[in-house]
Amino acid sequence: MTVTNARGHLSAEAIDLLLLSALSTTDERDARGHLETCAVCQQRWAELNEDSQKFKQYVFPRTLPKVQARLEGSRGGVLERLRLRLVLPALGLATAAALALTFAAGPGTQTEDDEYVGIKGAAAFELVAQRGGAAPFPVKDGATLHPKDKVRFVVEPASAKFVLVASLDGAQGFTVFHPFGATQSEAAPAASRVELASTIELDETMGDERVFVVLSHAPVTAAALEAAVRANPEAPKVEGATVLTRRFVKGAP
């Protein structure tokens, strides 16, 4: 992808993905190189990081204990599927923290990036994992998870009306996580941040795995997402949607 827009600044998409650590190695190098020389983008980047730090410092500590309490008190059945198990807890989990992403746009206006068609405003997702009976923890990009770890998804849909979550595992197997096994996205919850109902227990397939959260104004088919992911797993493009991605490594305990 091209990390700069027609005005010579980092595109909204690029700065979004850079904050999520979701750019390819080459694109991240180019984006960071641009940041070193562009005062305008340095200011945008500083504001985004300041918002993120405030969120982690003041909001995250208040929300994570609620996630832990619900996880420790939940009960659920396990549905065996080809490569993972979907756990349906009897108690829903409290909303966990998600990093807020903001775009530099005035009220009622588009961003400066005409080529970036997606969800405007704040849009983010966070993975929250639990290992055995231990406390839940946020999954950072590149973190190592183990088979049988349970993973849940916290999304901040912004203006999106639909959400779809899928993954591409180390064996190149594509699986829809939410709605589990579905052929297209479902209506996004009407909340600023919400934890999705699906809980995934990771299978034995080792290696790098990427999770993709698709936020859109109209339903997106799983087939369209799979095609985009296989064409460009590091930064898939789905027309009319924003695709957020997170990579983790599944390794032996």
Side-chain angles (χ1 to χ4, degrees):
M1 65 177 287
T2 301
V3 298
T4 55
N5 57 29
R7 298 184 183 183
H9 297 302
L10 288 179
S11 68
E13 181 184 16
I15 206 165
D16 177 353
L17 295 175
L18 181 61
L19 191 61
L20 284 170
S21 299
L23 286 172
S24 68
T25 301
T26 300
D27 290 339
E28 181 176 357
R29 183 192 64 225
D30 292 345
R32 293 194 180 279
H34 179 86
L35 279 173
E36 292 179 358
T37 60
C38 179
V40 172
C41 291
Q42 287 172 4
Q43 179 64 29
R44 292 171 61 201
W45 182 245
E47 291 171 354
L48 287 172
N49 279 276
E50 181 180 0
D51 289 343
S52 296
Q53 290 301 319
K54 287 180 179 178
F55 188 88
K56 288 186 287 186
Q57 181 178 357
Y58 298 110
V59 179
F60 188 78
R62 297 198 300 269
T63 56
L64 188 58
K66 296 179 182 180
V67 177
Q68 179 178 350
R70 290 291 183 88
L71 272 171
E72 292 174 347
S74 66
R75 296 291 183 269
V78 179
L79 175 63
E80 292 286 343
R81 291 292 179 97
L82 292 174
R83 57 174 295 276
L84 48 81
R85 291 186 288 271
L86 175 67
V87 182
L88 302 175
L91 294 176
L93 302 185
T95 301
L99 290 178
L101 301 181
T102 58
F103 294 95
T109 66
Q110 295 279 56
T111 67
E112 61 185 357
D113 305 290
D114 293 337
E115 74 277 11
Y116 182 41
V117 180
I119 304 304
K120 304 304 180 184
F125 87 98
E126 185 68 42
L127 297 184
V128 179
Q130 186 183 28
R131 183 167 299 151
F137 55 92
V139 180
K140 297 181 179 180
D141 196 70
T144 298
L145 295 179
H146 301 159
K148 299 187 182 299
D149 284 352
K150 295 180 177 64
V151 179
R152 293 182 71 87
F153 313 96
V154 180
V155 300
E156 186 172 345
S159 62
K161 303 300 183 184
F162 295 87
V163 59
L164 180 67
V165 183
S167 84
L168 190 69
D169 66 19
Q172 298 301 296
F174 179 86
T175 302
V176 175
F177 280 169
H178 181 85
F180 183 74
T183 59
Q184 69 175 28
S185 51
E186 72 169 11
S192 58
R193 285 193 303 276
V194 66
E195 185 169 3
L196 301 179
S198 300
T199 297
I200 302 302
E201 184 173 291
L202 300 178
D203 69 356
E204 303 290 335
T205 305
M206 302 298 183
D208 284 5
E209 184 159 345
R210 281 191 177 271
V211 171
F212 308 93
V213 174
V214 182
L215 299 168
S216 57
H217 295 301
V220 170
T221 66
L225 175 58
E226 181 175 4
V229 164
R230 294 196 183 280
N232 184 3
E234 293 187 349
K237 305 291 184 184
V238 176
E239 184 177 359
T242 293
V243 182
L244 306 178
T245 181
R246 182 70 47 79
R247 181 186 69 87
F248 62 85
V249 180
K250 198 187 304 175

